[in-house]
Every structure is written in C-alpha cells, then in structure tokens.
Amino acid sequence: MASPSDRVRRRRPDRARVVREAFRLGWRYGGRVPQPVVRAVAALAARVVVARDDVHVRRLRENLTAVAGRPADARLLRLGIASYVRTFWEVLALPRWSPAEVVDRVELVNGAVVHDAFATTGAVIALPHSGNWDLAGAWACLTGMPVTSVAEQLGTEEFAAFLAFREGLGMEILSHRAPALVDTLVEHVVRGRLVCLMADRNFSGRGVEVDFAGHRVTMPAGPAQVARRSGAALIPTVAHYGGEPLRRGAPMRLVIGPVVPAQPGDDGLAAMVQACADFFASVLHEHPEDWHLLQPFFDLPTSTQVSAR
C-alpha cells in the first residue's frame, strides 16, 4: 500500500516536465506576443516579484549590491527582474525572428577586436550571465562567425530541448559533461569556429580564485585554457540592454573587451581569468540590472585550483 508521501509525490507534477512543457508552448507562441504586452507584463512581474522578496530576490539583491557598489534598492531590483523577463521572452521569440531581425537587435561595441581575432588567430569569447547570450550567439552565427558553446546538462530531455533550440539558431552545443571537453573546444577553434563560453559562475566546483568587484570568488578557467592551448585570442564580452530593459526598440549591446594576453603557468592562468573578471565587473558596475544571477556567487566555496595544463 502506498504511503501518504508516495501519493503526494504522484499528484505533484514533475517540475522538469512542467518546465519542458512551458518552453515547448513558449517557443510555439512566444514570438506572437506583441512587445508592448511583454513590456507591460515585465513591469508588473517586476513589482510583484520584488514585493514578495523571496530567497531569489534576496540573492539578487546581494549580487547586485556587490557589483553596483551600492545597496540595491527596489528600483534596481525591479529593473533586474524586468531585464530577466525581457531575456526570457526573447529566448522564446528567437526562433520566429528573421535573420535581419536578429542582426538588427544587436549593437556591437568595439567590434573590430573580435572580427580581427576571428579572422587571424581565432577567438574565445568569455561571457557573464548578462543580457541574452542566446541572442548574441545567433547574431554571431548570422554575421559569419559560427558559434560553438557549452551548456550545463541538467537532465536528458531538458538538454535535448535546448540543444535543438540552439542548433536551430546555428550554434553547435557541447555538454559540460563531455569527456576531454577542453581538447574538443580547442579542435573547434582550429576548425574556424567562434568558441563562446559562460565564464562567471563556476558550475564544476573547480576554478580559479579571483577578485570580482572587491570580493573573492571562483571563476571557471576553461575559456583561458582553451585560448592558451589553441593560440586564439581570449576576449571578455558583456551583453546588456543599455540601462533601459523595457525601452521600446532598444537593441542589446555586446561590449567587446580587449584581448587578454596569454600567460604561462598556474599564475598566468589566474591572471588571465582575473583580467576577464575585471572587465566583467567594470561593465556590470554600470549596468548591474542586466546581470541575471539569482544564485550564490560571492560566497566563496571551497575549491580546488586547476592546473595550468
């Protein structure tokens, strides 16, 4: 005979299945929602979510306070939630946009840096969880720089759904669990692909300790390792909405940073990751609302330093 807890579990919807269904319906209908409606929903959602002040809002407040260098007030939090909603809608709408619409929705800052590197040494782009990185990848593919990236593989069906979505945008996606991942990414650089990697939050538990906005954190060393081993340019890049996530017609900006010089050894690897952290923090200080990080970041976990291999 089933226990009460078993019966509750049977009645409770599987969260992963609910999320899959939400994205399936969203990708089917999301692009049809007019942008004025999205802006209104985002503004309302921002007020409701911030007023609830749940654990995610409190974590967002801590993260934005740290990167902004000032207490994150209700206005900044509402801008942050509205930016998150805009990104969520864009992800749902992306498959319905024409190539011209995708290109028009991105404004490049310091673009010569990435174009020159891609045409010569190859490039590894390191990004924080800011703005819409899927839009950035789609833009790159449409402008002659085919993208290879890595996605966190949480569940088989979820990974398959997002794999199909991103491949439909022209990207090639690898699982973070893939064996010899750094070797494979180096091969993709050699094949003439633009390797774009999320480089702020450390999922693996292994990373390099750096200073980020005056706080000690661990950040992944993968982008620096791939760049150093392949000879490609390591280029930190930040996506943001220009301080007005709800402004009609505002494009997303891709701010391209300077090339980070390759340096040997463990200390050199740490210096390369630190240079990325410095660039991220400098841009996010001006545009904190677009940093979509609702998870712990500034509480430094116990970590194992990676080797310089």
Side-chain angles (χ1 to χ4, degrees):
M1 183 176 179
S3 69
S5 61
D6 289 336
R7 289 194 294 270
V8 170
R9 277 194 293 269
R10 288 174 187 170
R11 290 196 300 268
R12 183 183 300 153
D14 177 75
R15 182 178 182 276
R17 186 166 63 249
V18 171
V19 170
R20 285 198 304 273
E21 184 65 14
F23 272 100
R24 185 183 70 80
L25 293 173
W27 278 319
R28 178 177 296 178
Y29 301 111
R32 301 176 185 175
V33 179
Q35 217 167 354
V37 175
V38 175
R39 292 198 302 273
V41 170
L44 177 61
R47 289 191 174 276
V48 171
V49 171
V50 172
R52 287 182 60 189
D53 198 32
D54 65 8
V55 63
H56 298 295
V57 172
R58 291 194 293 272
R59 180 59 68 178
L60 180 63
R61 180 184 293 110
E62 293 172 5
N63 290 342
L64 297 190
T65 293
V67 77
R70 58 182 171 83
D73 58 15
R75 180 180 180 276
L76 179 55
L77 289 171
R78 288 195 296 267
L79 286 173
I81 297 299
S83 174
Y84 188 94
V85 173
R86 170 178 171 169
T87 295
F88 183 75
W89 172 76
E90 286 181 346
V91 167
L92 298 179
L94 257 172
R96 300 182 62 85
W97 290 345
S98 69
E101 286 179 295
V102 172
V103 172
D104 287 345
R105 288 176 183 273
V106 175
E107 176 184 318
L108 201 59
V109 180
N110 302 326
V113 175
V114 66
H115 288 303
D116 291 348
F118 182 76
T120 54
T121 60
V124 175
I125 306 298
L127 300 135
H129 287 80
S130 176
N132 187 344
W133 46 94
D134 286 313
L135 175 57
W139 171 87
C141 291
L142 288 170
T143 55
M145 296 182 288
V147 168
T148 293
S149 190
V150 173
E152 185 182 16
Q153 186 171 345
L154 295 174
T156 302
E157 293 184 68
E158 290 82 357
F159 183 73
F162 277 94
L163 184 67
F165 160 64
R166 289 174 174 133
E167 287 180 343
L169 300 176
M171 293 181 267
E172 190 166 341
I173 303 298
L174 306 174
S175 167
H176 81 291
R177 298 177 183 170
L181 184 56
V182 171
D183 293 339
T184 302
L185 290 170
V186 169
E187 292 171 4
H188 280 241
V189 173
V190 174
R191 284 170 45 197
R193 300 187 66 84
L194 184 71
V195 171
C196 299
L197 302 172
M198 307 312 295
D200 52 357
R201 190 167 176 234
N202 183 29
F203 291 106
S204 69
R206 291 170 54 84
V208 172
E209 292 188 13
V210 295
D211 177 275
F212 193 106
H215 300 261
R216 295 301 291 176
V217 302
T218 58
M219 284 176 47
Q225 289 174 315
V226 174
R228 195 165 65 175
R229 288 178 53 181
S230 65
L234 175 61
I235 305 174
T237 298
V238 178
H240 71 82
Y241 293 125
E244 298 182 78
L246 299 181
R247 183 164 63 87
R248 184 173 183 175
M252 183 182 75
R253 293 176 185 164
L254 272 180
V255 184
I256 310 298
V259 173
V260 175
Q263 300 184 51
D266 288 344
D267 289 344
L269 190 72
M272 294 171 72
V273 178
Q274 181 65 65
C276 291
D278 290 342
F279 184 76
F280 293 168
S282 67
V283 178
L284 293 175
H285 178 76
E286 300 299 324
H287 303 281
E289 66 279 351
D290 293 319
W291 194 33
H292 303 150
L293 203 63
L294 280 70
Q295 298 83 16
F297 182 71
F298 289 103
D299 294 332
L300 183 63
T302 302
S303 62
T304 304
Q305 287 282 350
V306 296
S307 71
R309 291 192 313 111

